[in-house]
Amino acid sequence: KNQVEQSPQSLIILEGKNCTLQCNYTVSPFSNLRWYKQDTGRGPVSLTIMTFSENTKSNGRYTATLDADTKQSSLHITASQLSDSASYICVVSESSASKIIFGSGTRLSIRP
Amino acid sequence: DAGITQSPRHKVTETGTPVTLRCHQTENHRYMYWYRQDPGHGLRLIHYSYGVKDTDKGEVSDGYSVSRSKTEDFLLTLESATSSQTSVYFCAIRRESPTDEQFFGPGTRLTVL
């Protein structure tokens, strides 16, 4: 069964610190992997998207990595800010339009 | 936000009543999706559409129907709402180029009493 597992479920860090969120998947055949940020009460917003041949992609202070061999991805946040408090969702697509599998998300809280 | 709006944004209804949620897009994308989001679960696909009058079921389609009579509108109907359908519902579109990705609407919070 295609699955996307994220860890940790929740994380609290101090403002200014770095953190790394993990995503493991079993989706096959793989098409792409995306990280979304979801603020409370809003829809998810795309941060990065990576295909099979890409192993790192950055978007400002967000850097995503992908290891297609081990089927793992991570999202690293540098110099966290209060506005980074949100849920981060890992999403993996099969090689078809309809098969998109969402992880349950990591809830990140940044404390001043 | 890829021009996606959802209406209503909030709704409280009673068990057994019909409910219709609307998703509207302004960019003529072919694919549209309805998801529900519940605590402890990832977004789960209810139904999706790949064109006018072309729809298919997702993983949690029981109790839901959809219609797409125009490219810009995708309707989700709960024929007889149940308390288990209390959730936040998100509509999404798929933009196929320059990068193949989904964009989500702001969500509709539905409470079934």
Side-chain angles (χ1 to χ4, degrees), chain A residues 63-74:
Chain A
T63 299
T65 64
L66 173 65
D67 185 333
D69 292 331
T70 62
K71 299 187 177 181
Q72 295 180 325
S73 177
S74 65

Side-chain angles (χ1 to χ4, degrees), chain A residues 18-30:
Chain A
N18 304 335
C19 66
T20 300
L21 313 180
Q22 299 290 343
C23 174
N24 297 334
Y25 63 92
T26 60
V27 177
S28 182
F30 174 86

Side-chain angles (χ1 to χ4, degrees), chain B residues 69-82:
Chain B
S69 58
K70 299 185 290 185
T71 298
E72 58 265 36
D73 288 326
F74 192 31
L75 303 181
L76 176 71
T77 298
L78 291 65
E79 302 290 349
S80 177
T82 67

Side-chain angles (χ1 to χ4, degrees), chain B residues 60-113:
Chain B
V60 291
S61 59
D62 288 347
Y64 302 95
S65 62
V66 290
S67 66
R68 192 161 178 208
S69 58
K70 299 185 290 185
T71 298
E72 58 265 36
D73 288 326
F74 192 31
L75 303 181
L76 176 71
T77 298
L78 291 65
E79 302 290 349
S80 177
T82 67
S83 58
S84 65
Q85 293 176 311
T86 293
S87 187
V88 181
Y89 291 86
F90 287 99
C91 173
I93 59 92
R94 177 188 175 200
R95 188 188 69 185
E96 297 176 80
S97 66
T99 56
D100 186 351
E101 60 182 304
Q102 284 186 314
F103 293 87
F104 288 83
T108 294
R109 182 172 293 276
L110 176 66
T111 302
V112 183
L113 302 176

